[in-house]
Amino acid sequence: MSTADPILAGEAGMSDAVDAREQQPDDAVVIVLDYGAQYAQLIARRVREAHVYSEIVPHDLPFAQLLDRRPAAIILSGGPASVYADGAPAAPPGLVGAGVPIFGICYGFQLLAQALGGSVDRTGRSEYGSTLLERSAVASCILDGTPDTHQVWMSHGDAVTAAPPGFAVTASTADSPVAAFEDVDRQIVGVQFHPEVKHSPYGQRAIEHFLYDVAGIRPLWTVGNVAGELVARVREQVGDKRAIAALSGGVDSAVAAALVQRAIGNQLTCVYVDHGLMRAGETEQIEHDFVASTGARLRVVDAADRFLDALHGVSDPEQKRRIIGREFIRSFEQAARDVVTEAGAHGESVEFLVQGTLYPDVVESGGGANAATIKSHHNVGGLPEDLQFSLVEPLRTLFKDEVRQVGLELGLPEALVWRQPFPGPGLGIRIVGAVTRERLDVLRAADAIARAELTDAGLDRDIWQCPVVLLADVRSVGVQGDGRTYGHPVVLRPVGSEDAMTADWSRLPYDVLARISTRITNEIPEINRVTLDVTSKPPGTIEWE
């Protein structure tokens, strides 16, 4: 390929460039260029797990803007396109000549191969799933310390059939003659497989070799170091104005509110709308534990009757969601007006709304040129525009696990920080059928037993969550106390996940399942059968409704 190709513009001057490994700043950022990969967020997560800060940007971001971020390295993600197809996403013009270390993954690997003079072809031998990788005889920086043959995760139709001139082929598979190549002197490496997924057991090692040994980045980034910086940013944004935060009882809103409270103190008022659909003890936990650990000003709105009246006789899950969302907005609006009125009486104004927006929300809600767009329904059920608050989103650069660490840094109790994800509509969508006060009481009791047994077994952090579902419109025959019963079944839905985009059912120990089942059927007379949901996502969803 001619050096006139735009991706190579400026490459001739690379030999005169100062080695990037000698000029990495302590606040180094690795940019992940997203080419539509289903795993782009995982790449960023894995880089951060290596204690290097990373951000995802769309592949079509103007290259000058990308360079303005002073990236210490750039990773090209996978994607569904073919590099030689009309309109296929391309590598940014001038990428190689910028002197920034580059790591190509899957589609990004093929982009590098094609642009640098290698060959990419549709061989007719696609690879999907676990594949045996075989290292070549030449030394490899990014595969250093891995076995000569090991399993990796593939997902591609095209294949690199010839490496670019000057690049060493370091691995192959039965159907990919070039499964990895590298030129460490030029700080460019690539792999056909996905090192970011857990099905590539040595993938994290490859990512770290790139970061530390190819790009020369020092692993200095930690979430603990971020908390103080986030507090300072909030303090600068809000100044001496007032803010309001909607607490849902979840981790994200609790950590966001705690962080803002640390920054501005009593300028913040937290509002918790108790819709009567929470699990046992959670409202009390918010009222006591959150306030005790943060000192935040909290307003609790008891709206249970309002929600139950609105849900009367409604069984359709989508209608239930709409009703709960609508009533939440109305309840929060009224509380917000009360806070604003009180502040005005003291000559103050409430100008800011705190939201627990996370980095996956930012990436997923916009994508492409709109990557910074925030979901209108995030956190508080779809706040109307006429509330006219400016948003404070202190967690928008963090993943869920990082948010938990920030929460611990801020002194929030572990019971709040490690709380299992819980849907905004609460138990309302864990009752298959109409929602009533009696059915909620039954489900709360069953859920409390399941959570207590999982906690006693030390499994709280081994699963993502364990919804308990009440099949309120179903009855089954049972025998209790030598008598016939006709009670409700419940479903245990233990799942493991990293981000809830995909999930698999958790293989809980049989003795734990037995204790949960025995306690539920012994202690709750309305329930006479406990079942286990062993469906993955996809095809099922985590919640039943």
Side-chain angles (χ1 to χ4, degrees), residues 175-186:
D175 295 319
S176 291
V178 182
F181 60 54
E182 60 187 60
D183 186 336
V184 176
D185 289 338
R186 295 165 71 183

Side-chain angles (χ1 to χ4, degrees), residues 115-143:
L116 291 166
S119 298
V120 180
D121 298 297
R122 181 168 292 280
T123 63
R125 298 189 300 273
S126 302
E127 291 177 312
Y128 298 100
S130 188
T131 306
L132 189 66
L133 184 80
E134 183 172 354
R135 292 185 55 182
S136 63
V138 301
S140 170
C141 180
I142 61 170
L143 298 179

Side-chain angles (χ1 to χ4, degrees), residues 508-519:
L508 298 181
Y510 288 156
D511 59 333
V512 175
L513 290 172
R515 286 197 299 273
I516 293 173
S517 177
T518 300
R519 283 195 59 192

Side-chain angles (χ1 to χ4, degrees), residues 7 11 14 99 119 150 202 210 293 295 348 422 465 476 480 523 535:
I7 193 175
E11 184 181 2
M14 282 189 64
S119 298
H150 59 274
Y202 296 95
F210 168 70
S293 59
E348 301 172 314
F422 190 58
Q465 59 176 305
S476 63
Q480 291 171 302
E523 299 175 27
T535 313

